Amino acid sequence: RGRQSRRPPGQGMEVFLDRLSGDRIIEAVKQSGVRTVLTVPDRMTEAGLLKPITADPEFRQIRVCKEDEALGISAALSYSGQRAMLLFQYTGLLDSLNAVRAIAAEYSMPICMMVGLHGKEPGVLPAESKHYAIRIIEPILDTMGIARHLIETDADIPKICPAIVSAYENSKPVALLIGRSPVAP
């Protein structure tokens, strides 16, 4: 697979269909109005997202010990008119399902989760992954009524800002599933 590019409407940037740019993801998150990112260390997004977010003065990073802790903090921030995003791995999502159920789904909070699907094969849909835990992520989110978007290439990045904006406008959770390691800026 070679590098393919096309010009999206209204943008002069090259879109890569076989990679995921961390700097473009970060720009989309900023465009959505998010300024606080709650993080649990994640090997998949560390180089392309976690480290650049940590170094970016436009973001306030809050490191948490567990993902369910991040859900409560994000909900509290939304009450004060602040937008936040959670950045963690799918294993943390699975570990915190009760908090996701209560805070995000039942209380209809605008919880924006960026979830790294560590180990998912690039170009393979999560439902077709050889990894059981990755295969069950989308059905679990669907059952809970949580909107989800697979972000795997640069062509998917335009989904990020509208998804976050919609979550806050409608007070509904959203999961942005990161399907490959983002490339560091």
Side-chain angles (χ1 to χ4, degrees):
R1 279 171 62 173
R3 182 176 95 179
Q4 297 177 348
S5 65
R6 64 180 165 87
R7 203 172 272 221
Q11 295 182 10
M13 305 176 87
E14 216 173 16
V15 173
F16 295 95
L17 300 176
D18 60 355
R19 74 173 205 169
L20 186 58
S21 304
D23 56 343
R24 291 196 62 218
I25 291 172
I26 290 169
E27 186 57 37
V29 170
K30 287 179 182 179
Q31 287 174 1
S32 74
V34 167
R35 291 299 177 263
T36 301
V37 181
L38 298 118
T39 63
V40 176
D42 171 10
R43 287 189 319 174
M44 181 178 180
T45 63
E46 180 181 15
L49 292 177
L50 185 58
K51 285 183 179 180
I53 286 170
T54 300
D56 192 321
E58 291 184 53
F59 284 119
R60 172 177 59 172
Q61 180 193 19
I62 300 174
R63 292 179 181 99
V64 296
C65 296
K66 291 191 64 171
E67 292 77 7
D68 52 356
E69 189 180 17
L71 275 102
I73 295 168
S74 181
L77 287 168
S78 74
Y79 279 116
S80 63
Q82 297 180 51
R83 291 186 178 190
M85 183 183 75
L86 287 61
L87 179 62
F88 52 75
Q89 262 184 184
Y90 75 93
T91 52
L93 174 65
L94 292 172
D95 187 48
S96 63
L97 281 179
N98 192 46
V100 172
R101 174 206 50 84
I103 297 169
E106 288 189 38
Y107 296 151
S108 294
M109 297 300 300
I111 305 297
C112 300
M113 300 172 282
M114 189 167 280
V115 181
L117 300 178
H118 183 68
K120 189 190 91 47
E121 309 82 356
V124 174
L125 293 173
E128 297 171 4
S129 175
K130 65 181 178 179
H131 302 287
Y132 173 77
I134 292 174
R135 285 196 312 269
I136 66 172
I137 293 294
E138 290 177 323
I140 289 170
L141 293 169
D142 292 346
T143 299
M144 294 176 133
I146 297 175
R148 60 179 168 80
H149 304 277
L150 180 62
I151 311 297
E152 187 160 27
T153 69
D154 281 358
D156 298 319
I157 292 173
K159 299 175 191 175
I160 295 172
C161 182
I164 294 171
V165 168
S166 177
Y168 277 92
E169 286 177 353
N170 299 304
S171 195
K172 297 284 185 188
V174 67
L176 302 164
L177 305 175
I178 304 299
R180 69 172 65 201
S181 292
V183 177

